[in-house]
């Protein structure tokens, strides 16, 4: 039978000597300091620097302010129930720049063919878009369709229609409500398809309204049967 040893006769290594207590206290102090340091570093990491004051902040309502905001449409897409007037604006080129502040002045914001360069084409494009918006603005039952596909292979997957829509959006639709009833048709490859596909797109977005009773182009109120280009 094994007899238990009295507590006061435990081996010496179980005893707590002054030197052992001092060493343990030093370890605890070091661990405490380390924990405090880690908490302090965590707190500093969570702090964010104060936002600097922007002395060059864009003016409210300006095109620059609009570019710095999250991507939003200027108007909700809402085709009028009595839509009966189709306005077609056929594209001539695609935009290449994301900053469209000089889109009406410089060639570099467009992918241009040789015959379009150095002839003021950007201004013509923007004027064409603006006229289309103006025609649609005069009739609350008009639907504006920008027509044109990805006609420039080297420009990448950019369509003429989408480019024109972005330009109109950049100019805030010239302070009209046309943006709420404007859309794109992005498959046309020539003038005939501009007209035919735009009519199909009108039917798609207008639904039961049927085919447009009054087609126009962005060059005025002439019949869309004329060459849109």
């Amino acid at each position: 039978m094994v007899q238990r040893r009295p507590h006061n006769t435990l081996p010496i290594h179980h005893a707590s000597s002054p030197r052992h207590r001092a060493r343990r206290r030093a370890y605890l102090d070091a661990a405490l300091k380390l924990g405090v340091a880690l908490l302090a570093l965590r707190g500093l990491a969570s702090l964010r620097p104060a936002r600097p004051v922007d002395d060059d902040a864009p003016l409210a309502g300006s095109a620059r302010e609009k570019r710095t905001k999250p991507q939003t449409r200027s108007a909700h897409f809402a085709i009028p129930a009595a839509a009966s007037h189709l306005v077609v604006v056929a594209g001539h080129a695609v935009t290449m720049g994301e900053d469209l502040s000089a889109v009406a002045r410089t060639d570099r914001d467009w992918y241009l063919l040789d015959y379009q360069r150095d002839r003021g084409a950007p201004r013509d494009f923007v004027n064409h878009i603006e006229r289309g918006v103006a025609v649609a603005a005069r009739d609350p039952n008009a639907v504006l369709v920008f027509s044109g596909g990805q006609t420039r292979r080297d420009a990448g997957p950019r369509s003429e229609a989408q480019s024109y829509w972005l330009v109109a959006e950049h100019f805030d639709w010239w302070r009209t409500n046309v943006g709420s009833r404007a859309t794109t048709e992005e498959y046309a490859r020539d003038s005939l398809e501009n007209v035919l596909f735009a009519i199909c797109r009108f039917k798609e977005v207008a639904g039961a309204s049927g085919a447009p009773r009054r087609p126009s182009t962005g060059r005025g109120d002439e019949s869309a049967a004329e060459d849109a280009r």
Side-chain angles (χ1 to χ4, degrees):
M1 180 176 179
V2 178
Q3 294 183 352
R4 294 185 179 180
R5 182 182 302 177
H7 292 291
N8 57 357
T9 61
L10 290 175
I12 191 63
H13 61 269
H14 285 280
S16 180
S17 64
R19 188 171 60 178
H20 179 73
R21 289 197 298 270
R23 183 180 301 171
R24 184 170 59 183
R25 188 179 300 111
Y27 289 157
L28 290 175
D29 290 343
L32 180 61
K33 292 178 181 179
L34 179 61
V36 172
L38 290 176
L39 289 175
L41 290 175
R42 183 178 180 181
L44 290 175
S46 64
L47 295 177
R48 296 182 178 179
R51 186 176 181 179
V53 177
D54 186 2
D55 295 332
D56 193 29
L59 297 176
S62 66
R64 180 165 169 244
E65 183 196 40
K66 191 173 183 180
R67 290 197 303 273
T68 59
K69 289 182 177 180
Q71 294 180 355
T72 56
R73 284 203 57 173
S74 59
H76 295 291
F77 186 59
I79 296 297
S84 59
H85 181 189
L86 167 62
V87 180
V88 183
V89 174
H92 298 262
V94 298
T95 56
M96 297 299 294
E98 296 184 4
D99 180 3
L100 301 179
S101 58
V103 71
R105 301 190 302 272
T106 63
D107 288 358
R108 69 173 180 271
D109 286 338
W110 298 85
Y111 186 91
L112 302 178
L113 300 180
D114 291 340
Y115 74 91
Q116 295 174 315
R117 296 190 181 100
D118 302 321
R119 297 188 178 185
R123 171 53 62 185
D124 293 337
F125 299 156
V126 174
N127 287 342
H128 187 196
I129 298 167
E130 184 178 6
R131 285 197 298 270
V133 171
V135 171
R138 292 197 292 267
D139 184 357
N141 292 322
V143 176
L144 175 61
V145 176
F146 294 115
S147 176
Q150 299 175 14
T151 56
R152 304 292 184 260
R153 182 183 61 184
D154 293 341
R158 302 168 185 260
S159 71
E160 295 175 345
Q162 186 65 24
S163 296
Y164 276 36
W165 189 95
L166 290 173
V167 171
E169 176 78 355
H170 170 74
F171 286 101
D172 200 19
W173 302 92
W174 289 273
R175 300 189 181 278
T176 69
N177 67 349
V178 174
S180 64
R181 43 196 172 92
T183 186
T184 61
E185 177 288 301
E186 303 185 50
Y187 295 95
R189 298 165 297 178
D190 54 39
S191 298
L192 177 61
E193 290 184 351
N194 284 137
V195 176
L196 294 179
F197 292 178
I199 293 174
C200 294
R201 180 61 173 156
F202 179 94
K203 172 65 177 177
E204 183 179 28
V205 298
S209 298
R213 294 189 294 273
R214 183 188 171 197
S216 303
T217 70
R219 296 190 177 186
D221 291 336
E222 68 273 19
S223 169
E226 298 180 15
D227 188 347
R229 295 183 181 273

